[in-house]
Amino acid sequence: MTETTSYDLVIVGAGPAGYTAAIQAAQLGMKTACVDRSARPGGVCLNVGCIPSKALLDSSALVDAARNKMADHGIEVADVRVNIAKMMVRKQTIIDQLTGQVKKLLDSHRVTLIQGDARLSSPNQVDVSQNDGVLSLKTRFILLAAGSHAVAVPGLKLDDDRIVDSTGALQFDEAPQHLAIVGGGYIGLELGVVWKRLGSRVTVIEMLPQIAGSLDGQIARTLKRILTRQGIDFMLKTRVIQAATGNDGMTLTLESAGKQETVICDRVLVAAGRKPATANLGLDTIGVETDSKTGCIRVNEFFQTSVSNIYAAGDLIPGPMLAHKASAEGIAAVEAMNGIETDVNYDTIPSVIYTWPEVGSVGLTEEQVKSRSIPYRSTAFPFTGNGRALCLGETDGMVKLIVHARTDRILGVHIIGPHASEIIAECVMAMEFGASSEDLARVIHSHPTFAEAVMEAARSLGARSA
């Protein structure tokens, strides 16, 4: 059975880029449909990414506090028991609540949510394969927001049991005795922290000489030192050649500096990055250009592809694969379709790693500033000097501030410390409005707060040169 319906905009993907764009389009009076293969809107972020991982991070943080931190506060907790099954139920309840809210929001804006596999058959038609046939959607505009999927690693074939991706690692029914994580990026580090807290031995295997490769080097080294102290093992400049299953578990053959060694574990998490989910969308058929190296869809400053009425946003296009970046692009793309002047400032997109301590960053790293020969000054204020951090007993980390040597304009802020994910928002706002370190230093902060560390870092730079 084939049916045809007409719309002003058809969006492929109901993740952060897709559903925010759909709401924006409906508010601008566009008849909108949003297509996703899942029955639940929210994409990877809400269903198997950002939200479930943070739910488990917060639950496991309470376990860690009960076992290792409360005694310092005079709270004695004996016989701490972990019920992972109940923890997983709580996680799923949060997912259900949020995806349900997104669906209600789409319904209230009269966005048609369609489940099925979407494929572009022309610049003005999206065909949706469903169990009972094909639904053809005629449309003026198309927004591609299909997201991304995990990168495969040669020699490590996923089996949803011993070798899993991040989705599988969010669903373990018990803590692995030894979890090997292939990839030392944000996803691997966060899930490593979860399962270390819940009782696993964790080994992170990373090809690069630094974990979280996009971080400022000083912050990355500090994070590795702290996580090592927490009991996570790191093997840098190391790659996995093959995996074999035996009676003792999984045996990984590793190579580093031309030498081979083996590691025995019972489960492997492959977290070597993600790539755009462009396969089977029919892009070649209608001439939507992609980058042969990255697989990203090429877009202009208005998020238009090489086919003028087809736009793309989120993980499908260049830039960091972050939910908030995707949401901003989805909204901007819809505004561009409607002739509204729009802009996404990529210089002020924050990124966060939800380990503990957390890491929050915005702007240029010190390495980037040096490579561009920008004259700069930098400073780092430690949380050991912050009253609120001392009261909490969480003094690891610092606020690092990088400013232009002549203008004092803030070039980058990198925070590793308690609640860095929240503190970084102040710095994003400051950079968005072109603030200087003097501006930050003069803003009166409540006392005692963690955010005072930002003010103190700015003050420590002192008066800028004439």
Side-chain angles (χ1 to χ4, degrees):
M1 181 180 70
T2 301
E3 295 182 30
T4 303
T5 311
S6 296
Y7 293 92
D8 295 315
L9 170 63
V10 172
I11 300 171
V12 179
Y19 75 75
T20 53
I23 293 167
Q24 179 74 0
Q27 291 173 340
L28 291 172
M30 301 179 80
K31 183 181 178 183
T32 304
C34 192
V35 183
D36 198 284
R37 63 179 53 188
S38 172
R40 296 172 178 271
V44 168
C45 176
L46 264 65
N47 287 282
V48 291
C50 313
I51 297 304
S53 63
K54 303 313 165 286
L56 292 182
L57 278 161
D58 288 342
S59 294
S60 64
L62 294 176
V63 174
D64 182 60
R67 286 176 172 167
N68 303 311
K69 298 178 180 180
M70 288 185 178
D72 290 339
H73 294 265
I75 305 169
E76 298 180 358
V77 181
D79 189 25
V80 178
R81 290 176 293 175
V82 176
N83 186 333
I84 290 179
K86 190 170 184 179
M87 198 176 286
M88 293 296 173
V89 169
R90 176 182 180 273
K91 177 202 71 175
Q92 190 60 49
T93 300
I94 294 168
I95 294 170
D96 293 344
Q97 182 176 347
L98 286 174
T99 55
Q101 288 175 354
V102 170
K103 188 177 187 306
K104 287 180 181 178
L105 199 56
L106 292 170
D107 289 344
S108 69
H109 284 84
R110 298 182 180 178
V111 173
T112 303
L113 189 60
I114 300 170
Q115 184 181 2
D117 292 314
R119 184 177 178 86
L120 280 60
S121 57
S122 82
N124 296 100
Q125 182 170 315
V126 177
D127 291 336
V128 184
S129 297
Q130 299 177 309
N131 292 333
D132 57 350
V134 176
L135 179 62
S136 293
L137 310 177
K138 297 288 187 180
T139 181
R140 289 174 56 213
F141 296 103
I142 296 171
L143 174 62
L144 301 172
S148 61
H149 57 79
V151 172
V153 175
L156 290 174
K157 185 178 180 181
L158 302 182
D159 61 12
D160 296 326
D161 180 23
R162 294 291 189 93
I163 304 176
V164 301
D165 59 11
S166 59
T167 300
L170 289 167
Q171 298 170 346
F172 291 155
D173 54 6
E174 62 180 359
Q177 290 185 355
H178 184 188
L179 174 65
I181 300 175
V182 181
Y186 293 20
I187 296 171
L189 294 176
E190 291 180 4
L191 291 175
V193 166
V194 167
W195 292 109
K196 178 67 183 72
R197 289 168 173 170
L198 296 179
S200 298
R201 177 188 169 194
V202 174
T203 301
V204 175
I205 304 163
E206 170 57 54
M207 289 181 60
L208 299 176
Q210 172 182 304
I211 62 171
S214 61
L215 281 186
D216 179 273
Q218 182 181 8
I219 300 298
R221 290 188 295 273
T222 302
L223 177 61
K224 178 179 176 292
R225 185 168 62 250
I226 293 170
L227 294 181
T228 299
R229 195 172 70 221
Q230 292 176 4
I232 295 179
D233 297 321
F234 290 93
M235 303 179 72
L236 303 183
K237 294 190 284 188
T238 303
R239 68 186 185 94
V240 179
I241 297 175
Q242 66 178 14
T245 303
N247 294 332
D248 295 329
M250 300 288 299
T251 299
L252 301 182
T253 302
L254 312 177
E255 183 179 74
S256 178
K259 298 180 180 180
Q260 292 188 5
E261 62 179 302
T262 58
V263 167
I264 297 176
C265 59
D266 55 325
R267 272 180 162 159
V268 180
L269 162 59
V270 179
R274 301 184 67 82
K275 64 179 182 180
T278 55
N280 303 317
L281 291 179
L283 304 185
D284 292 341
T285 304
I286 59 173
V288 174
E289 295 179 0
T290 59
D291 186 290
S292 59
K293 292 183 178 179
T294 65
C296 291
I297 295 174
R298 292 174 176 163
V299 294
N300 62 16
E301 67 271 29
F302 305 111
F303 303 97
Q304 286 175 298
T305 69
S306 52
V307 180
S308 61
N309 71 306
I310 299 177
Y311 293 66
D315 290 0
L316 293 182
I317 69 174
M321 292 185 175
L322 300 169
H324 45 281
K325 175 252 193 191
S327 296
E329 290 172 340
I331 292 170
V334 169
E335 289 176 335
M337 293 173 198
N338 287 275
I340 300 171
E341 187 174 344
T342 188
D343 177 60
V344 175
N345 186 354
Y346 290 95
D347 293 333
T348 57
I349 295 177
S351 62
V352 175
I353 306 178
Y354 294 87
T355 51
W356 194 264
E358 294 178 338
V359 179
S361 299
V362 63
L364 300 177
T365 65
E366 188 165 1
E367 290 75 18
Q368 289 172 326
V369 170
K370 288 179 177 178
S371 69
R372 300 180 191 186
S373 300
I374 300 173
Y376 75 97
R377 296 185 299 148
S378 68
T379 188
F381 183 83
F383 277 101
T384 52
N386 179 268
R388 186 66 191 278
L390 284 164
C391 291
L392 185 64
E394 299 287 355
T395 57
D396 282 332
M398 70 189 84
V399 173
K400 180 174 183 177
L401 187 61
I402 303 171
V403 303
H404 196 285
R406 291 193 297 271
T407 67
D408 194 40
R409 185 168 180 166
I410 301 168
L411 301 174
V413 185
H414 308 279
I415 304 171
I416 177 168
H419 304 293
S421 61
E422 304 295 337
I423 304 170
I424 198 66
E426 170 186 4
C427 305
V428 174
M429 181 70 75
M431 288 185 64
E432 187 67 37
F433 284 90
S436 65
S437 71
E438 183 180 357
D439 292 326
L440 273 183
R442 290 182 179 275
V443 172
I444 299 172
H445 289 66
S446 299
H447 176 75
T449 56
F450 300 113
E452 282 182 293
V454 174
M455 176 186 69
E456 295 294 351
R459 284 180 176 176
S460 70
L461 282 171
R464 67 180 185 271
S465 302

